[in-house]
Amino acid sequence: MTAVGIDAIEIWTGKLKLDLAETFAPEKGEDPEKYTKGLGLHASSFPDAHEDIVTMGANAAKRLMERKGLEPEDIGRIDVATESAFDNSKPVSTYIAGCLEQVYDGDFHHANKGERKFACIAGTQSLDDAYNWIKAGRNRGRAALVVATDTALYARGDPGEATQGAGAVAMLIDEDPNLVELSTEQGYGSADETDFLKPNQQFPSVDGKRSMQVYLARMREALEDFESVSGDTHPDDFAYIPFHTPFPGMVRKAGLLGYRHMIRDTPVEEELAEEIGFQPREENFEDRESYEEAIRDHMDDLSSTEAYRDWYAATVEPTLSISREVGNWYTGSVHIARASALKTAAEEGIDLTGQKLLVGSYGSGAQAEIHAETVADEWEDEIEALNIDDQNDARYDLDFEEYEKVHDRHNHDKTIEMEDFTVPDGEFVFTGRGRMNERLYDYVDN
Ligand code: CAA
């Protein structure tokens, strides 16, 4: 059977930065450690005045195509995943293809284009669509371009404001991939939930605490569903577990839940029982409330065991390094978690070829999906080509007044003219609107 998966990846961050401890916390009258330790975030990326979901997506895609030596005719499909779209009819993929056609001789007229929506999980769903298209043999030897691009902005004053972010991840899905092969097995946890939504509005309506519970409930459901087709999982099966990362503190909770689930009825649970007792079983409790209280106490104890801490430090913590510096990128978030893990492995000289990842995606509304990935032979070369650290270092550091202005600039209900903070060069830029209110773009090369 042909292996299908992610052949290459490129990341484009919004070119501005909001430092949460230095700039945001003092204005909010909060302890900086609420952000750096509690949420686990140092900074958020923001789009400059000339940037939006199209420019960031097109810039990531161009880097990817250039690095892989691709021409438009090599691409049979362009899927964009976003929850920041500005048009209910014309998909963002057409704008991105239009941008790329400005700099390539060929065109994408024979590529199928679409836009995927299911909150943050849409990036992974687009991977699935590309995977299925290739597996079905409909790709005519061509690869798929998947772009996850978002400006994750919240209304000012919303608790979610601390978890904003903006950036794009472009991924090439192909046969015999260089980076990771996707498993056929998948697990889903999906239910009609009202945790986070944008009913025809730009900024989300969020029930923050509920959204965290729903994330965990759907993730557990997806893991059980995954195990029903792949067999039981064990913490030692996976080199890394990248999760959707709205903020690293959320992943801290997901990691603990996953570990508790995976070790149940294994020798690991038995060994830990000497230290913290066995996991509470619901049948041993009179009511749900006392069971849940016992589970909470047990989770607290489990989180401080050496076994858990070592596992988390090796398997989950390395997935968070990019996220801590850029915030939530919604559809791109789980894909930067995977990139962070592989980047850490490359930096530490860990040989990952043939090892497994377990990938936990999530979208509010709500759905979680779990699948496994096998790291491919050329992963290191692919990951070493990323320049996300340089991009992050080059971001313009906003003061609070500038942050508010940029936030207003990207507010669809306001018309704010402002100078760019950075000088665009070798990139696509937003230039204004056309006669039908469409957005217009140019490629700038100084
Ligand atoms: N030092 C260290 N830690 C501190 C601290 C301090 N001085 N002050 C607070 N903290 C800790 C808190 O204890 C808490 O950690 P725990 O949950 O582990 O206890 C953490 O910092 C955050 O503090 P609060 O809970 O008080 O923060 P908040 O109420 O202001 O907001 C939030 C948190 C609800 C997540 C909010 O940021 C939010 O609404 N975010 C948007 C929704 C979201 O991201 N939900 C995640 C699941 S949904 C999803 O994943 C989809 C998506 O992408 C949006």
Side-chain angles (χ1 to χ4, degrees), residues 23 34 95 99 126 141 149 152 157 164 168 188 194 202 215 229 276 341 358 399:
T23 311
K34 170 175 174 181
Y95 282 101
C99 285
S126 300
T149 180
Q164 299 178 111
Y188 288 101
T194 310
Q202 183 187 6
Y215 176 120
V229 284
I276 57 169
L358 189 71
D399 66 29

Side-chain angles (χ1 to χ4, degrees), residues 4-133:
V4 176
I6 306 172
D7 188 60
I9 175 169
E10 280 292 346
I11 303 175
W12 185 278
T13 179
K15 292 168 70 182
L16 309 178
K17 162 186 159 184
L18 176 67
D19 191 305
L20 292 171
E22 299 286 324
T23 311
F24 189 74
E27 286 291 332
K28 297 285 164 182
E30 297 274 14
D31 179 352
E33 295 204 337
K34 170 175 174 181
Y35 304 107
T36 53
K37 295 214 165 121
L39 295 173
L41 287 168
H42 299 145
S44 305
S45 286
F46 280 84
D48 204 343
H50 62 268
E51 292 190 290
D52 66 10
I53 50 171
V54 172
T55 64
M56 296 188 299
N59 287 322
K62 178 169 174 290
R63 275 185 61 87
L64 185 74
M65 288 185 62
E66 268 175 4
R67 182 161 72 73
K68 300 296 285 185
L70 297 167
E71 295 295 326
E73 58 266 27
D74 299 319
I75 305 294
R77 188 177 172 109
I78 305 179
D79 287 307
V80 171
T82 185
E83 51 186 302
S84 320
F86 45 78
D87 192 313
N88 287 323
S89 176
K90 183 174 154 61
V92 171
S93 49
T94 59
Y95 282 101
I96 290 183
C99 285
L100 294 170
E101 285 170 356
Q102 291 184 33
V103 295
Y104 282 95
D105 289 336
D107 61 52
F108 296 94
H109 286 201
H110 302 299
N112 185 13
K113 305 182 189 91
E115 189 173 302
R116 255 289 187 175
K117 180 179 74 178
F118 195 148
C120 308
I121 202 174
T124 298
Q125 290 182 318
S126 300
L127 285 189
D128 283 347
D129 292 341
Y131 174 96
N132 295 339
W133 171 72

Side-chain angles (χ1 to χ4, degrees), residues 30-41 83 119-121 152 154 158-164 195-196 204 206-216 244-247 249-250 252-253 328-331 333 362-365:
E30 297 274 14
D31 179 352
E33 295 204 337
K34 170 175 174 181
Y35 304 107
T36 53
K37 295 214 165 121
L39 295 173
L41 287 168
E83 51 186 302
C120 308
I121 202 174
Y154 290 76
D158 187 290
E161 194 182 4
T163 66
Q164 299 178 111
D195 54 336
F196 169 112
V206 196
D207 183 341
K209 301 290 176 202
R210 170 112 190 97
S211 74
M212 295 167 72
Q213 289 165 353
V214 173
Y215 176 120
L216 296 174
H244 167 58
T245 311
F247 53 93
M250 184 71 238
R252 208 163 49 219
K253 295 177 201 297
N328 192 358
W329 286 10
Y330 288 161
T331 55
S333 154
Y362 175 73
S364 296

Side-chain angles (χ1 to χ4, degrees), residues 113-339:
K113 305 182 189 91
E115 189 173 302
R116 255 289 187 175
K117 180 179 74 178
F118 195 148
C120 308
I121 202 174
T124 298
Q125 290 182 318
S126 300
L127 285 189
D128 283 347
D129 292 341
Y131 174 96
N132 295 339
W133 171 72
I134 295 172
K135 282 277 182 183
R138 296 176 121 182
N139 59 323
R140 297 187 244 152
R142 298 172 300 170
L145 181 60
V146 167
V147 181
T149 180
D150 270 299
T151 47
L153 300 185
Y154 290 76
R156 293 226 291 281
D158 187 290
E161 194 182 4
T163 66
Q164 299 178 111
V169 179
M171 291 171 279
L172 191 72
I173 317 308
D174 207 351
E175 294 171 29
D176 298 322
N178 277 358
L179 195 64
V180 291
E181 178 189 349
L182 304 190
S183 67
T184 309
E185 295 80 14
Q186 293 172 292
Y188 288 101
S190 189
D192 177 9
E193 299 276 9
T194 310
D195 54 336
F196 169 112
L197 54 157
K198 297 181 180 179
N200 285 330
Q201 63 196 44
Q202 183 187 6
F203 301 133
S205 299
V206 196
D207 183 341
K209 301 290 176 202
R210 170 112 190 97
S211 74
M212 295 167 72
Q213 289 165 353
V214 173
Y215 176 120
L216 296 174
R218 303 285 77 83
M219 199 64 84
R220 183 173 56 186
E221 212 170 53
L223 183 56
E224 284 167 355
D225 193 42
F226 176 73
E227 289 180 326
S228 75
V229 284
S230 75
D232 284 349
T233 52
H234 187 281
D236 297 342
D237 292 348
F238 305 102
Y240 297 108
I241 306 191
F243 284 102
H244 167 58
T245 311
F247 53 93
M250 184 71 238
V251 170
R252 208 163 49 219
K253 295 177 201 297
L256 185 60
L257 184 91
Y259 188 80
R260 173 170 69 97
H261 178 91
M262 288 194 269
I263 64 169
R264 194 175 304 141
D265 296 323
T266 70
V268 182
E269 185 189 13
E270 258 170 56
E271 265 169 52
L272 282 172
E274 289 170 23
E275 207 179 323
I276 57 169
F278 282 94
Q279 295 182 20
R281 267 46 176 191
E282 192 165 3
E283 59 272 21
N284 299 333
F285 290 82
E286 271 178 17
D287 53 51
R288 179 88 195 161
E289 207 179 309
S290 42
Y291 166 65
E292 282 179 2
E293 198 185 319
I295 282 282
R296 275 195 296 274
D297 289 346
H298 184 82
M299 296 281 268
D300 276 350
D301 294 343
L302 180 63
S303 68
S304 44
T305 61
E306 207 181 322
Y308 172 71
R309 293 174 92 89
D310 288 351
W311 173 82
Y312 184 86
T315 314
V316 183
E317 182 64 35
T319 68
L320 303 173
S321 58
I322 301 176
S323 166
R324 284 191 200 291
E325 303 304 324
V326 303
N328 192 358
W329 286 10
Y330 288 161
T331 55
S333 154
V334 66
H335 307 292
I336 55 178
R338 178 199 296 101

